[in-house]
Amino acid sequence: MKTKWIAALLSLANVTCIAGATDLIGQRYQDFQKDFPGFKKLSGSCLLGCMYSLGSVKDLSTEERLIILSKKTQGSKRWEIVDVLEGPQGRAAVSNCTENYSSFKQLYGSMPDVMPSSDNFVALISSASEKDKDNKLWLKATQVFIIDTESHTFKEISNDDVYCYVGIG
């Protein structure tokens, strides 16, 4: 009898580990790695005046990379995880992007200290290819998401003219 009960608990624990990414939604934290020791934080940044936080983390049990969107809890130092994206292999998440790169490039040529002001984009980019080498500081976004402040989720949008500042070269 005890053996069956222990086996059932182990099975439940295994299912919980597998479902880990979506199980994070709704969880609150103050220090991500301290509050979620099964994950390693790789990077993070503020979005929309630091009302949202973007974090790139790695699940230590599966080695899967996740992109965590958190919303600041009103009146507290804690954050609530509101959405999670599974980070595709070979792509990095960045938030310093511009939606209309063609127009921005003209402005950037005359005012090189100007940087994109949109802080509600999250883009996935692949590493620089030979085609991108002449660009040096800007890479074309592979996938682009905007923060939907009503639903507190990532919403995919077109990547037509979205480039992200990565400072390589």
Side-chain angles (χ1 to χ4, degrees):
M1 179 85 163
K2 284 184 181 179
T3 308
K4 287 182 182 179
W5 188 75
I6 291 171
L9 278 177
L10 289 174
S11 296
L12 180 61
N14 191 29
V15 168
T16 303
C17 291
I18 292 168
T22 54
D23 286 345
L24 288 173
I25 296 173
Q27 300 293 317
R28 294 175 187 240
Y29 66 93
Q30 186 166 348
D31 178 342
F32 194 88
Q33 276 183 241
K34 183 179 173 193
D35 294 339
F36 300 103
F39 292 86
K40 178 179 182 183
K41 190 162 186 179
L42 304 173
S43 64
S45 59
C46 283
L47 300 170
L48 295 169
C50 280
M51 289 308 298
Y52 290 88
S53 169
L54 177 70
S56 177
V57 299
K58 180 164 64 170
D59 184 331
L60 297 176
S61 65
T62 64
E63 297 296 309
E64 180 182 29
R65 291 176 186 258
L66 304 172
I67 300 153
I68 307 284
L69 178 65
S70 304
K71 184 177 186 318
K72 197 166 205 168
T73 305
Q74 192 170 358
S76 172
K77 293 181 180 178
R78 300 188 72 73
W79 294 84
E80 179 182 0
I81 299 172
V82 291
D83 206 356
V84 178
L85 290 175
E86 293 181 14
Q89 203 66 338
R91 292 189 185 166
V94 294
S95 58
N96 199 5
C97 304
T98 185
E99 185 175 14
N100 191 343
Y101 182 70
S102 303
S103 298
F104 177 78
K105 193 173 178 183
Q106 293 172 350
L107 178 64
Y108 188 73
S110 62
M111 301 170 65
D113 293 335
V114 173
M115 291 301 289
S117 60
S118 182
D119 67 346
N120 66 335
F121 280 174
V122 176
L124 299 179
I125 58 168
S126 299
S127 58
S129 66
E130 285 302 313
K131 182 180 164 189
D132 293 320
K133 295 263 186 212
D134 60 340
N135 202 7
K136 296 197 178 152
L137 301 176
W138 295 87
L139 290 181
K140 175 115 175 81
T142 315
Q143 258 183 303
V144 181
F145 300 88
I146 192 164
I147 307 307
D148 184 333
T149 56
E150 287 183 25
S151 66
H152 309 295
T153 58
F154 292 113
K155 180 180 175 185
E156 190 165 9
I157 61 171
S158 171
N159 69 335
D160 284 346
D161 198 21
V162 177
Y163 280 76
C164 301
Y165 182 80
V166 292
I168 62 171

